[in-house]
Amino acid sequence: MQCSGLSGVGLYVTPAAALNAFAAADGTKAAVVVTAPILERFPEDELAGILGHELTHIRSDDVRVMGAASTLARMVTHTGVIAVLAAILGPLFGAPRAEPVGTMLAALSVAVLATWMTARLSRTREFAADLGAATLLGSPVPLARAPVRLDRYARWLTPPWLRPLTRRSLHDSHPATGERLERLGSYVA
C-alpha cells in the first residue's frame, strides 16, 4: 500500500459473502478490508480502483470524521427519545405537564435532520474518495466500472419482489451510481 503515500496500512480479506470493501482505522492503525467475492469477481484494474478509493478514505481521515458525525447524530436522536419519554412520563413523577405530541414531532424532525446531514456528509466524502482513487490510478475508468459491476450483482442477487424496497433514499450513505459516473467522467475533462 506504499504507492498511495500511506505506510503501515493493512490489507485484510474476510470470507463474508457480501460484495464489499471498507476502510477501518483507530487513530494508530489503519486497514482496508475486502470480502472474498470482491477478489473473485472483479478484474485487477477495478480492484486497484476500489483499493485506491478505500485508501483515500484513510488518507482523508474519513473513518474518524464519519465516526464523529454518526456519534453526534445518535446523540441527538437519543436526546430526542429522552425528551419524549420525559414529556410522557414526567407528570407521573411530579414534573410539570409537557406537550408530548409537540415534543415527539420536534424530536423526530431533529433526528431525521441529523441522520440526513450525516448521510449527506458521507456522500460528499465518497465523491472525494472517488477523485482520490482516480488521481492515484491516473484514470477514473477502472473505478467507474466497479460501481456498475456492484449494481449489476446487487440486482442479480435481489429477488424481484424485494427490489422496490431497495430504492435510493436521502439517507443513503453512498451516492447513486449514475451520480458517481457523472463525477468520474468530469475528472477526465
Side-chain angles (χ1 to χ4, degrees):
M1 303 271 184
Q2 195 61 40
C3 65
S4 65
L6 298 170
S7 60
V9 176
L11 175 61
Y12 298 91
V13 178
T14 178
L19 293 167
N20 199 8
F22 59 91
D26 69 0
T28 59
K29 296 178 292 215
V32 172
V33 180
V34 296
T35 61
I38 288 271
L39 295 176
E40 295 162 2
R41 295 186 178 126
F42 282 70
E44 203 171 288
D45 62 334
E46 290 177 32
L47 282 173
I50 292 167
L51 293 175
H53 176 94
E54 299 306 331
L55 288 169
T56 301
H57 279 309
I58 292 169
R59 186 174 39 211
S60 301
D61 210 13
D62 287 343
V63 174
R64 185 182 58 78
V65 170
M66 291 312 304
S70 295
T71 299
L72 184 59
R74 282 193 307 274
M75 287 172 52
V76 166
T77 301
H78 291 173
T79 302
V81 169
I82 291 167
V84 169
L85 288 174
I88 293 170
L89 301 176
L92 297 175
F93 299 99
R97 182 151 167 69
E99 179 56 50
V101 174
T103 304
M104 281 192 270
L105 288 175
L108 180 63
S109 298
V110 170
V112 167
L113 181 63
T115 304
W116 176 80
M117 289 172 59
T118 302
R120 179 78 177 127
L121 175 62
S122 178
R123 288 190 298 272
T124 300
R125 303 298 274 208
E126 289 299 322
F127 285 132
D130 285 349
L131 174 59
T135 302
L136 189 63
L137 294 173
S139 167
V141 174
L143 183 62
R145 287 195 310 260
V148 172
R149 187 180 303 274
L150 277 171
D151 278 1
R152 197 175 321 128
Y153 280 124
R155 184 148 178 80
W156 181 74
L157 292 172
T158 306
W161 56 271
L162 262 183
R163 288 183 189 148
L165 301 176
T166 61
R167 302 252 190 261
R168 306 230 25 110
S169 81
L170 292 174
H171 297 294
D172 287 343
S173 62
H174 284 65
T177 299
E179 287 180 78
R180 293 179 87 171
L181 295 177
E182 189 176 309
R183 294 261 182 120
L184 285 168
S186 72
Y187 299 150
V188 175

